[in-house]
Every structure is written in C-alpha cells, then in structure tokens.
Amino acid sequence: MPKNITQYELLISCPGDVKEELQVINRCVDRFNEMYSKALSINIITRHWSKSSYSQSGDKPQNILNEQFVDDCDAAVAMFWTRFGTPTDQYGSGTEEEICRMLDSGKQVFMYFSDVPAPPSAMQSEEYKKICDFKNQYKDKGLYFTYNSVDDFEDLFFAHLSKHFLSIEKVAEIKNERLPILKLQSIDESCKLNDQLIVHQFSPCHKSVKDYVSEVENKIKKINTLHLPKSNNKNELRLLLGEEVKFDKDKKEIIELFVKTRNIELSEDFFEFGNLRYSITPQIMGGNSINGTPEEKAKYYLLSDTFDIIYDCMHWAKVESSLSGLLCIKLALTNIGTTYDEDVEISLTIPNEYYIELSDLFQFDNSVMGYLLNDCEISTLFGIKSTAEYSDFESSSKAHPPVIHSPNLSFINKEPDYNDDFFAEINDTFYYDVFEQGNDRIIKIKFDYIKQHTSTSFPSIVFVKDGLKSITYRISSKHNSEIVEGIISTANE
C-alpha cells in the first residue's frame, strides 16, 4: 500500500573547520529517520553546499546558494569553532547570512558554539573575534548552546532535533497536513466534475432506435438491388445440391411488419435467393451449410443481418420508450487531501418525492429482460465510465462476485424466465443500499480505497425526478476521525 511521507529539509550551515560535527549531524538525522519515519511518516533530509549546490552563473555565489536550496529548507543547524567563514555582500559570512535568513523567515535554527580546545593562534585570530561578537548578539536570546566534545554535541543535537520535530504541535501539524480531504462532486453531461448538483436527461450508452432504423434501411437498399435468376430444374437441383433455401416464415413476417410501419419498400423478390441450396452433407458441428453463388450467399447473409438488427431494434425500442425523458444525476467522490483513504462510506439523503425506485422503473417483459441480459451490457448502459478527470468505481473497489446467469432448464422448449437474473444484474450495477427513513431515501455506498488528489465516480447513475434541488451527504472513512457532512445543490438553489 503506498504511503505519504512528510519530508523536511534541514540546512547544515557552518565554516570548514567543524568536519566531525558534519558527520555527527548526518548520523543523528539517520538515527531519527530510522526511529520515527515509519511510525509517524516523518523524514528529514540534509542540505549542504557540498552536496546540494550545482554550477550556476549570473549572480553572487551566496545568492545562488540561497535560491538553489537555502530558502527552501524548513530548519537549519549551525556550528562555530574557530572560523567564522567568508564574508558576503551584507553579512560577515555565508553562515551568518543563512542563519539570519532562516530566523527572519520564522524557521527553526539550531545554533551551537564549540568549546573544544583550539590552538592559541586560532583563538587570537580576527575570525575568532567575529565569532565572539556574533555569539554576544544572541547571548540573551537563548538561541544557542555550547559543547565541550563531539560526543557532547551529538547528545545535544539529537535531543534538540527530536524535541522540535516530535513536539505535540509539530506532530499535530504533520497529521493535519497528511489528512485525506473528501468531498462529493457532480458530473455534468460533458463528463466534467462540478461542485454544483447537475440534474440532466438520461442518455444511455447505446445506439438509438433511429440508428437501428437507419441501419435497416441501408441493408434493405442493398438487398433491393440483388435480383437473382432462378433455374426451372428444381427437382434436379434438389437431388444434386439439396433442398432450396427459404427464409424463415416467422422472421419474414417480422421484417414485413417492421418495414410496413415505417413505409419502407421491399423488392418483389426480396426474400428470393436464386438457386441457393442447403448442402446434402451436414457440417461436422451440426446444421447445414449452404451452396450457391457469392451473390446468392451475400443476399442470404444480408437478409439474416437485417432480421438481427430489426430484432434488436424491436427490443431496444421498448427499453428506449420506458427510459425516455427520465432525469438522472452522476456523482463522484473526490479526495483533495495529501494522503489516500480507505473504507469510505457515503450516505446520500434524497427526499422520497424525488427518488425513483428501480423496481418501478424496470418493468419489462421477459423477452426484453433476456435481450438486455444477453445482448447488452447493463453496466455500460447505466454505469459511469472513467475519463481524464475521474476513474471508474471498479478501480477503487474490491471486486464483488459477478452475476451468473442460470436460465431455467426445466423448460427446454420454452424461453427461460429471466426475471431473477435480470434484477440480480441490475442490483449489481446499481451498487447501493437504499433505506426509507421518514420522508427521505438514504442511499449508502462504500469505496474501498481512494488515492490522494483523485476523483472516483459512483458505479452508476441515480434516477431522480424533476424538481430535485439539493442532496445532503455524510462521509466517514478509516483515516479521518471527523465525519464530513455537506450539501451539494443546483445552481438555482
């Protein structure tokens, strides 16, 4: 599972005569990270000119260092022994400038002066006098400590480092910085996220009746141009090639009824296939193959395709008619926080007068339910696909058991009863728990996981009635002890 680490940058600022202390600082930081990084998700990295600077021209050396890494650091540690450092334009040394810039920015500075014995010549130098003067500036401010040995310095620095970064205030600050921040958003008709509630017309991800009719018309135009000559020697052909191919009577009646209601003209020989015959020898896998010219076969397959399209159209027309004019909302869970969250539960409150029960909505006959189950993707019709702005529900949810269609085999010669399987598929797509509470419907849904800075759509749309102005919501989650409560409203509310 990915983790979010709060990383702090510690500036090491010192002249070149405190080499052992540099090693001590890096050792203390490593020790701190080993002890607390995993438990508190805190990590400290060090910055020093020897490893954090790079070649750059166009400004004074210290100004370049300030821009490259000094000003971005969160805290600093500074040490002095016998050398004060190289002067800059405004300060006695680069170390002094870095200390002052950090203090002026309100940042923590750990400052230490070494009392380790030094050569007498070093104690009499001008640089040592600068150190004493600088030390006197902060004498009454309690900003520095002195040490008598490297071991003494290591004990002091690790204690100060831990006290600062493990203080109650600092830990609370880190915890607040790393909270997931969850909110509910709406998805508009152009698949854009919106802070306002968008109620819009339901438009299934499926071709319309008009598209089906257009396909049928194009197929019929092609079939109408195919006029196939027929031999008079029927008996001879039957003996040599097999029985004449005739289009199924029931399918023929369905096509004729369909075109009649739409004033589509059929040629006189529309259902004639010339000398197309069934093969005398059955196919290995069962059934009969057909023998004939490429044109005869082409017309037969065109006519079969036409029937299939009409069959789909007739069933889809009932679905389209039932769902036409319905309103819906699409919703998404958004995490604008800096860390992921888990076990998210959302409760939506919608007034009863604006909620549409699924059992009332999907009142189809058995044949249409079978069509939707076997020839359509119900989850595609009513689901919410991922876009560049948000991922789909499945990407953040543990897989739930798929619906297995089990047609009733006790009626071998009859159409299976699809009712149970159909509503099982509907409930699997509309993955909510719905409860009636007084004058409201409470809709509950769970997200197993959501990453930081991401949005995840609900599994499907929610059908609503005209007049819905707002939805109240409540969000609880594993990594946020606070319950998030809010209202998402339309622009007019």
Side-chain angles (χ1 to χ4, degrees), residues 50-172:
S50 62
K51 67 175 183 179
S52 301
S53 62
Y54 53 90
S55 178
Q56 183 178 339
S57 60
D59 205 344
K60 301 289 179 62
Q62 186 61 46
N63 292 341
I64 290 174
L65 294 179
N66 293 339
E67 183 179 344
Q68 286 183 356
F69 65 91
V70 171
D71 291 341
D72 290 333
C73 288
D74 302 288
V77 53
M79 303 85 66
F80 296 96
W81 184 30
T82 62
R83 292 180 56 187
F84 193 59
T86 304
T88 65
D89 286 351
Q90 300 179 21
Y91 294 89
S93 71
T95 299
E96 181 184 10
E97 179 169 340
E98 290 170 358
I99 290 172
C100 291
R101 290 179 75 90
M102 295 294 286
L103 290 174
D104 289 344
S105 299
K107 298 176 180 178
Q108 173 67 30
V109 176
F110 306 101
M111 190 155 49
Y112 303 91
F113 292 90
S114 174
D115 284 341
V116 175
S121 59
M123 305 291 287
Q124 300 299 321
S125 68
E126 285 297 320
E127 285 209 59
Y128 189 75
K129 292 179 182 179
K130 290 181 181 179
I131 292 173
C132 293
D133 291 340
F134 181 70
K135 184 177 180 180
N136 286 332
Q137 292 180 36
Y138 296 98
K139 184 176 182 181
D140 299 326
K141 298 180 180 180
L143 293 179
Y144 67 83
F145 291 83
T146 60
Y147 59 92
N148 298 312
S149 67
V150 173
D151 290 341
D152 184 24
F153 171 70
E154 183 165 358
D155 291 340
L156 272 174
F157 177 64
F158 186 77
H160 295 157
L161 186 74
S162 300
K163 184 177 181 181
H164 174 70
F165 285 103
L166 299 180
S167 66
I168 295 175
E169 294 82 3
K170 178 59 66 175
V171 171

Side-chain angles (χ1 to χ4, degrees), residues 299-346:
K299 185 174 182 180
Y300 176 81
Y301 292 130
L302 272 172
L303 196 48
S304 297
D305 289 344
T306 302
F307 171 78
D308 290 340
I309 297 171
I310 290 174
Y311 177 86
D312 287 347
C313 181
M314 291 171 63
H315 285 84
W316 179 253
K318 295 178 182 179
V319 178
E320 188 174 274
S321 175
S322 176
L323 303 179
S324 177
L326 288 176
L327 299 176
C328 69
I329 55 175
K330 297 180 180 179
L331 300 172
L333 173 66
T334 295
N335 182 3
I336 59 175
T338 57
T339 185
Y340 68 94
D341 210 340
E342 298 175 283
D343 299 335
V344 181
E345 182 174 283
I346 303 176

Side-chain angles (χ1 to χ4, degrees), residues 194-463:
N194 202 303
D195 288 327
Q196 295 177 338
L197 182 64
I198 309 296
V199 180
H200 52 82
Q201 291 279 339
F202 169 63
S203 179
C205 299
H206 195 278
K207 55 188 174 184
S208 66
V209 170
K210 184 178 179 181
D211 295 328
Y212 277 116
V213 173
S214 179
E215 285 186 51
V216 171
E217 288 176 339
N218 289 332
K219 294 282 186 183
I220 289 176
K221 284 181 181 179
K222 291 181 181 179
I223 297 172
N224 282 339
T225 63
L226 299 176
H227 304 291
L228 305 176
K230 199 167 185 179
S231 173
N232 292 323
N233 300 321
K234 293 183 179 181
N235 293 331
E236 182 181 343
L237 288 172
R238 182 177 62 80
L239 292 174
L240 293 174
L241 302 176
E243 292 290 342
E244 179 183 5
V245 173
K246 292 185 178 181
F247 200 68
D248 183 87
K249 181 181 178 181
D250 293 334
K251 292 182 178 180
K252 178 180 177 182
E253 289 179 357
I254 289 174
I255 292 176
E256 289 175 335
L257 178 62
F258 183 89
V259 299
K260 183 178 180 181
T261 58
R262 289 165 176 79
N263 295 318
I264 301 174
E265 296 284 339
L266 301 182
S267 62
E268 291 184 3
D269 57 351
F270 188 82
F271 296 100
E272 299 293 335
F273 305 117
N275 293 310
L276 193 65
R277 303 281 163 166
Y278 290 113
S279 175
I280 297 176
T281 306
Q283 290 181 296
I284 296 175
M285 298 302 294
N288 292 323
S289 63
I290 54 176
N291 293 321
T293 65
E295 292 80 7
E296 290 169 344
K297 291 181 179 180
K299 185 174 182 180
Y300 176 81
Y301 292 130
L302 272 172
L303 196 48
S304 297
D305 289 344
T306 302
F307 171 78
D308 290 340
I309 297 171
I310 290 174
Y311 177 86
D312 287 347
C313 181
M314 291 171 63
H315 285 84
W316 179 253
K318 295 178 182 179
V319 178
E320 188 174 274
S321 175
S322 176
L323 303 179
S324 177
L326 288 176
L327 299 176
C328 69
I329 55 175
K330 297 180 180 179
L331 300 172
L333 173 66
T334 295
N335 182 3
I336 59 175
T338 57
T339 185
Y340 68 94
D341 210 340
E342 298 175 283
D343 299 335
V344 181
E345 182 174 283
I346 303 176
S347 295
L348 307 176
T349 301
I350 301 178
N352 287 335
E353 59 187 304
Y354 300 119
Y355 179 72
I356 299 178
E357 289 281 1
L358 296 180
S359 57
D360 296 334
L361 185 63
F362 298 114
Q363 295 186 354
F364 301 122
D365 61 38
N366 190 64
S367 178
V368 173
M369 287 191 288
Y371 163 74
L372 288 170
L373 277 174
N374 300 317
D375 297 288
C376 296
E377 285 287 340
I378 291 178
S379 60
T380 300
L381 293 177
F382 305 108
I384 304 174
K385 289 184 177 181
S386 61
T387 69
E389 290 209 350
Y390 52 84
S391 58
D392 59 25
F393 179 76
E394 291 297 329
S395 65
S396 64
S397 179
K398 295 175 184 176
H400 43 275
V403 175
I404 301 175
H405 301 154
S406 52
N408 187 347
L409 299 179
S410 61
F411 300 99
I412 298 176
N413 297 321
K414 297 178 65 175
E415 183 178 50
D417 184 350
Y418 292 108
N419 186 78
D420 290 344
D421 284 339
F422 174 75
F423 279 102
E425 181 78 20
I426 288 295
N427 291 331
D428 191 60
T429 299
F430 292 86
Y431 198 57
Y432 314 120
D433 290 322
V434 182
F435 305 92
E436 187 169 1
Q437 183 174 294
N439 296 322
D440 299 318
R441 285 293 199 283
I442 309 299
I443 300 175
K444 289 192 173 185
I445 183 171
K446 292 183 179 179
F447 290 74
D448 296 320
Y449 173 80
I450 183 168
K451 290 174 62 178
Q452 62 273 26
H453 307 302
T454 60
S455 296
T456 302
S457 72
F458 278 38
S460 67
I461 61 174
V462 177
F463 285 106

Side-chain angles (χ1 to χ4, degrees), residues 5-6 8 32-33 36-37 40-44 165-166 174:
I5 301 293
T6 300
Y8 292 97
F32 179 92
N33 288 337
Y36 303 114
S37 180
L40 296 177
S41 297
I42 303 173
N43 191 67
I44 300 173
F165 285 103
L166 299 180
I174 293 167

